[in-house]
Amino acid sequence: SQNQDISFAVSQGVEIDSMILKNSQMVLDVNSGIPADAQVRITIPGLVKNGIIFSELIPVDYSGSMPVFTQTTVPLHDYHLNLTKGGTTSNTLEIIYAVTFSGNGNGITNSNTLQCNASIQSMQYQMLYGYLGQQHIGNLQDSVELSIFNSAFGTGLFSIVDPKIRFDISNSLGI
């Protein structure tokens, strides 16, 4: 087995603890140059849905020619993604790869390799937890002209009760 830590690239002091995903998907690629059947188990302890840790078993069937490429896509809607590695850090995701080979009598040399790649694509979230740093929001004005009063006759009073401001912020990462 092999562990891999993936650091999420963020800027301006952002520390993401966790998020609840929506409409995202995990793409798992396995490229094998080993002349044998294999099973690759990919486990992500920080990716949980309904109390169950994400774990996917990918069969790699050797048919006599190499390389053998396998791709699996798993929807991640409603998964909770924890990026703290058990509370020790932030912005970091741990992935554990475990490979089991089924022998067929073919020899394996140092030049034979097996490569695994896990990526989250179309990443969107429902909720995001952590410290978002100090972000520049842009040029905000303290007043908004309402043109409906430009042609009003006479005088009167207009007031807004219980005003609220809503920020919808997005970028290419969905953050």
Side-chain angles (χ1 to χ4, degrees), residues 13 21 24 28 45 47-49 81 91-92 96 110 118 127-128 134 136 149 153-154 172 174:
L21 299 173
S24 303
L28 307 166
L47 189 59
V48 177
K49 183 175 184 178
L81 178 62
N91 305 330
T92 303
I96 302 168
N110 288 341
M127 302 290 279
L128 178 77
Q134 295 183 1
H136 179 69
F149 297 111
F153 293 104
S172 62

Side-chain angles (χ1 to χ4, degrees), residues 12-160:
Q12 297 181 340
V14 172
E15 295 178 3
I16 301 173
D17 295 332
S18 63
M19 62 181 78
I20 299 173
L21 299 173
K22 72 174 183 179
N23 301 329
S24 303
Q25 58 187 10
M26 174 76 67
V27 178
L28 307 166
D29 296 326
V30 177
N31 192 358
S32 176
I34 297 175
D37 291 342
Q39 291 191 342
V40 179
R41 169 130 348 244
I42 298 177
T43 304
I44 304 175
L47 189 59
V48 177
K49 183 175 184 178
N50 298 326
I52 301 170
I53 294 174
F54 178 89
S55 185
E56 189 74 21
L57 184 64
I58 302 171
V60 180
D61 299 321
Y62 174 68
S63 60
S65 63
M66 295 185 297
V68 178
F69 179 76
T70 303
Q71 184 176 70
T72 302
T73 302
V74 181
L76 297 179
H77 186 73
D78 289 334
Y79 270 88
H80 185 266
L81 178 62
N82 186 319
L83 299 174
T84 66
K85 277 188 68 177
T88 61
T89 187
S90 60
N91 305 330
T92 303
L93 180 64
E94 178 184 27
I95 301 177
I96 302 168
Y97 301 94
V99 182
T100 304
F101 291 101
S102 302
N104 58 10
N106 291 333
I108 298 175
T109 67
N110 288 341
S111 63
N112 296 117
T113 61
L114 182 124
Q115 298 173 338
C116 299
N117 183 48
S119 62
I120 298 177
Q121 298 188 354
S122 304
M123 187 177 206
Q124 296 179 355
Y125 60 89
Q126 297 174 36
M127 302 290 279
L128 178 77
Y129 302 95
Y131 174 69
L132 299 180
Q134 295 183 1
Q135 306 296 321
H136 179 69
I137 295 181
N139 246 352
L140 297 178
Q141 297 179 354
D142 64 351
S143 60
V144 176
E145 181 181 340
L146 300 174
S147 62
I148 59 171
F149 297 111
N150 286 348
S151 61
F153 293 104
T155 61
L157 178 65
F158 178 80
S159 63
I160 299 175

